[in-house]
């Protein structure tokens, strides 16, 4: 049956020798009981790859090609002609070169939110996967075909078409089961539900200390680990792993051979330390706060995401302390994390200084927007280029351990624009914008800069400074904040962070050392 379905497509593709090819994508009958909204992606990859193209979209030169377009009110059993508004790395479909490619279509579903602030927006709600569009349950995709592309440029000649059908659907994710050591919490947040106009939840994984069951009268301090979406306490394993039997998977990012074996052994080593006689007895938690924009909320209140800071501190943490015998007082809470988690740990200590007794922020996301990666959003006019009288320098965004640049700020943002306009990509730069920006007239985050050109909006930058530039807030409010931060705010970073995050830490150090 499958052969009969593919034969017309293969015969058609074999005769491609004209430009102005078209692509049609079909949402099969029965795919949904209602019409759907979302982002339709068309993906191309070079032959020889084993992963599906949907898993090979990335920021560096090894990325698969992705084009995107919005689709609204798509009724099952109908087809759309693919007309993208943007692509990455090639930005226009008409410029995509001829050749042989593996092709796949993918549909990222949006939900309509009628928010408490009066705005109606369409966004991809997290469905338990941590805002990973390529793995989000309910999203549909086609199988992968190898095709010969002649080109998509304009031509008066009759052209052949590529036809794809979204036959596959990503299944739901099963919730994690509790163990003797790890408990899973999920609560409805009234604060967030009121903001989003539908039920919204916060979750956490709670790691119990040794002796918890044997000493039911003991209460414990709380260690809050901030970071990206945690699917469990993956860094904790009571069982000794058989690392010799594991396939060897190197770390491209860190340059460490057989990194999976190292991680597996460290997870067991942590268990041994955690249960040793000398390790402090505390409750450790990882917060799950994925939302319609990203895999976490940045743990602060935001005009676009809602009151996540208040919801975590007023609803989730008190619930956990009541359920698992936490001390429940400020002196018995501290936060820690790295990168995104580093920013969050510092932010909650600064914004809720009477609720926490210490923050340990490793290589935090930019804590000073004069070093917003490699852009000064206040002094620079363009985020993508250093402008000279006769030339431009492209601003880097990521480098490897040797300092070689693998992607630029323009690359990162162009990829996000292909995955989702209006800040809906679910990626790093869009969540910064969603958290820090005011709400735009259309209900979506006001852009900090034009995604296509990089031109910075100075009014939006001013809003960022007063509300989310952590070191500006510390400098501005030092008279009242200083006494509360002197013994509680701890920042540390290497001197060559992959994402240039050390630059903002240097600026923080310059100020804090003088106090």
């Amino acid at each position: 049956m499958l052969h009969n379905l593919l034969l017309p497509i293969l015969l058609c593709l074999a005769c491609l020798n004209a430009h102005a090819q078209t692509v049609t994508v079909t949402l099969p009958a029965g795919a949904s009981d209602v019409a759907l909204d979302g982002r339709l992606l068309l993906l191309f990859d070079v032959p020889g790859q084993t992963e599906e193209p949907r898993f090979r979209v990335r920021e560096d030169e090894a990325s698969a090609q992705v084009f995107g377009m919005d689709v609204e009110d798509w009724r099952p059993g109908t087809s759309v002609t693919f007309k993208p508004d943007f692509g990455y790395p090639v930005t226009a479909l008409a410029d995509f070169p001829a050749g042989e490619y593996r092709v796949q279509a993918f549909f990222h579903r949006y939900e309509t939110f009628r928010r408490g602030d009066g705005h109606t927006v369409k966004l991809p709600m997290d469905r338990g996967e941590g805002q990973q569009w390529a793995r989000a349950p309910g999203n549909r995709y086609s199988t992968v075909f190898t095709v010969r592309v002649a080109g998509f440029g304009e031509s008066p000649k009759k052209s052949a078409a590529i036809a794809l059908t979204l036959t596959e659907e990503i299944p739901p994710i099963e919730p994690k089961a509790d163990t003797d050591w790890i408990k899973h919490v999920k609560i409805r947040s009234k604060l967030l539900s009121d903001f989003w106009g539908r039920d919204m939840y916060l979750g956490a994984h709670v790691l119990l200390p040794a002796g918890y069951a044997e000493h039911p009268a003991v209460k414990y301090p709380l260690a809050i680990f901030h970071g990206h979406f945690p699917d469990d306490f993956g860094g904790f394993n009571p069982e000794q792993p058989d690392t010799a039997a594991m396939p060897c998977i190197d770390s491209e990012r860190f340059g460490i051979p057989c990194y999976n074996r190292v991680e597996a052994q460290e997870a067991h080593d942590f268990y041994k330390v955690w249960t040793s006689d000398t390790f402090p007895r505390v409750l450790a938690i990882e917060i799950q706060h994925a939302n319609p924009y990203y895999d976490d909320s940045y743990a602060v209140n935001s005009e676009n995401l809602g009151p996540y800071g208040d919801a975590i501190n007023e609803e989730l943490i008190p619930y956990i302390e009541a359920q698992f015998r936490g001390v429940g007082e400020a002196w018995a809470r501290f936060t820690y994390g790295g990168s995104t988690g580093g920013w969050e740990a510092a932010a909650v200590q600064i914004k809720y200084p009477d609720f926490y007794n210490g923050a340990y922020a490793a290589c935090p996301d930019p804590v000073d927007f004069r070093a917003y990666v490699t852009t000064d959003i206040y002094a620079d006019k363009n985020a993508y280029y250093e402008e000279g009288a006769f030339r431009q320098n492209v601003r880097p965004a990521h480098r490897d351990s040797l300092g070689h640049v693998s992607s630029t700020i323009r690359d990162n943002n162009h990829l996000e624009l292909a995955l989702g306009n209006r800040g809906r990509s679910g990626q790093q730069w869009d969540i910064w914008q969603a958290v820090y920006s005011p709400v735009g007239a259309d209900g979506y985050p006001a852009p900090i800069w034009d995604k296509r050109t990089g031109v910075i909006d100075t009014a939006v930058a001013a809003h960022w400074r007063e509300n989310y530039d952590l070191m500006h807030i510390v400098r501005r409010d030092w008279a009242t904040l200083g006494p509360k931060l002197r013994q509680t705010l701890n920042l540390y970073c290497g001197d060559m962070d992959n994402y240039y995050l050390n630059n903002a830490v240097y600026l923080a150090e310059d100020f804090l050392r003088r106090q």
Side-chain angles (χ1 to χ4, degrees):
M1 181 63 180
L2 182 60
H3 175 76
N4 292 338
L5 291 173
L6 295 181
L7 186 58
I9 298 175
L10 296 176
L11 289 174
C12 182
L13 294 173
C15 65
L16 294 182
N17 55 12
H19 292 290
Q21 283 179 256
T22 59
V23 179
T24 59
V25 183
T26 300
L27 181 65
S32 172
D33 295 332
V34 297
L36 301 179
D37 303 323
R39 186 73 170 175
L40 181 59
L41 305 176
L42 181 64
L43 303 127
F44 293 98
D45 202 2
V46 294
Q49 298 294 334
T50 56
E51 283 191 304
E52 295 177 45
R54 62 182 168 127
F55 297 131
R56 293 207 358 95
V57 176
R58 46 198 286 180
E59 296 167 344
D60 62 23
E61 73 285 349
S63 178
Q65 173 68 41
V66 56
F67 294 102
M69 65 175 285
D70 291 340
V71 181
E72 295 191 353
D73 198 32
W74 195 1
R75 301 189 179 280
T78 65
S79 303
V80 298
T81 299
F82 192 78
K83 297 180 180 179
D85 54 55
F86 204 75
Y88 175 86
V90 179
T91 59
L93 187 61
D95 296 332
F96 190 65
E100 185 175 85
Y101 300 99
R102 302 166 71 234
V103 63
Q104 184 175 41
F106 190 96
F107 185 62
H108 192 19
R109 293 177 60 172
Y110 290 170
E111 177 182 330
T112 298
F113 295 86
R114 294 174 176 83
R115 292 196 317 225
D117 62 0
H119 289 290
T120 297
V121 293
K122 296 181 178 182
L123 294 163
M125 184 57 197
D126 177 74
R127 298 161 219 153
E129 84 290 349
Q131 268 304 356
Q132 299 180 56
W133 61 268
R135 302 180 185 275
N139 283 350
R140 298 192 70 93
Y141 60 98
S142 74
T143 53
V144 180
F145 299 101
T146 298
V147 300
R148 179 71 188 176
V149 172
F152 296 98
E154 294 295 332
S155 171
K157 298 180 181 180
K158 184 178 180 180
S159 61
I162 298 174
L164 301 167
T165 301
L166 302 173
T167 55
E168 313 301 312
E169 182 174 352
I170 301 173
I173 295 173
E174 293 295 325
K176 297 287 184 179
D178 287 349
T179 70
D180 291 341
W181 293 98
I182 301 171
K183 308 300 180 182
H184 303 92
V185 169
K186 183 178 181 181
I187 66 168
R188 180 186 181 274
S189 166
K190 182 181 184 306
L191 291 171
L192 296 174
S193 298
D194 289 346
F195 177 85
W196 284 103
R198 53 97 85 188
D199 287 343
M200 296 289 284
Y201 297 87
L202 287 170
H205 307 307
V206 182
L207 179 60
L208 302 178
Y212 179 85
E214 292 79 9
H215 302 283
V218 174
K219 292 188 176 182
Y220 298 93
L222 191 64
I224 301 104
F225 176 69
H226 282 290
H228 294 291
F229 181 84
D231 61 0
D232 210 339
F233 258 99
F236 181 89
N237 184 7
E239 303 297 328
Q240 172 62 54
D242 184 2
T243 55
M246 293 180 176
C248 185
I249 302 175
D250 299 341
S251 169
E252 182 179 348
R253 178 177 181 183
F254 301 114
I256 299 176
C258 299
Y259 187 60
N260 60 314
R261 297 178 182 176
V262 175
E263 282 190 309
Q265 185 59 51
E266 285 186 348
H268 181 63
D269 291 345
F270 176 48
Y271 161 77
K272 291 190 292 185
V273 171
W274 180 260
T275 57
S276 66
D277 293 338
T278 57
F279 196 84
R281 300 308 192 228
V282 301
L283 296 167
I285 70 169
E286 294 179 332
I287 299 175
Q288 280 191 319
H289 41 133
N291 57 78
Y293 281 101
Y294 197 54
D295 70 3
D296 69 71
S297 70
Y298 274 67
V300 293
N301 295 345
S302 163
E303 288 190 22
N304 293 290
L305 271 69
Y308 269 94
D310 290 348
I312 290 169
N313 295 321
E314 297 174 14
E315 295 176 326
L316 180 64
I317 287 179
Y319 176 86
I320 291 172
E321 290 175 329
Q323 288 292 110
F324 297 100
R325 307 200 313 264
V327 173
E329 297 184 30
W331 66 264
R333 301 186 191 105
F334 77 91
T335 70
Y336 65 107
S339 194
T340 289
W343 191 94
E344 291 171 333
V348 298
Q349 184 67 61
I350 292 167
K351 287 182 172 288
Y352 300 90
D354 298 320
F355 193 78
Y356 296 98
N357 190 36
Y360 298 86
C363 50
D365 283 4
V367 293
D368 190 316
F369 295 156
R370 293 174 298 172
Y372 184 56
V373 184
T374 53
T375 296
D376 181 339
I377 67 169
Y378 312 128
D380 295 329
K381 294 181 179 179
N382 194 293
Y384 298 167
Y385 309 103
E386 292 182 80
E387 303 281 359
F390 304 105
R391 58 159 289 175
Q392 295 175 327
N393 284 338
V394 181
R395 298 186 193 276
H398 182 268
R399 57 187 170 182
D400 65 16
S401 59
L402 297 176
H404 300 149
V405 175
S406 56
S407 68
T408 68
I409 296 179
R410 181 186 62 192
D411 293 333
N412 295 177
N413 282 264
H414 280 188
L415 170 57
E416 293 190 2
L417 186 56
L419 293 176
N421 55 19
R422 292 177 166 174
R424 295 181 290 192
S425 71
Q427 305 298 303
Q428 182 63 74
W429 298 84
D430 275 348
I431 185 56
W432 281 336
Q433 179 173 274
V435 173
Y436 306 151
S437 284
V439 177
D442 60 359
Y444 297 93
I448 181 63
W449 56 64
D450 185 306
K451 278 276 192 181
R452 293 174 183 262
T453 66
V455 175
I456 295 172
D457 186 320
T458 56
V460 175
H463 180 89
W464 284 32
R465 176 195 290 119
E466 295 306 315
N467 294 280
Y468 300 100
D469 184 327
L470 297 182
M471 284 312 301
H472 171 77
I473 293 169
V474 169
R475 291 191 300 269
R476 181 192 67 197
D477 301 336
W478 184 255
T480 55
L481 266 180
K484 299 178 180 182
L485 298 181
R486 285 186 186 278
Q487 303 299 320
T488 61
L489 182 61
N490 303 276
L491 306 177
Y492 52 106
C493 192
D495 61 3
M496 201 179 112
D497 184 86
N498 288 134
Y499 294 94
Y500 300 86
L501 301 179
N502 52 300
N503 295 348
V505 175
Y506 294 153
L507 295 175
E509 183 180 40
D510 287 344
F511 173 78
L512 294 173
R513 283 194 180 280
R514 295 196 303 270
Q515 305 313 308

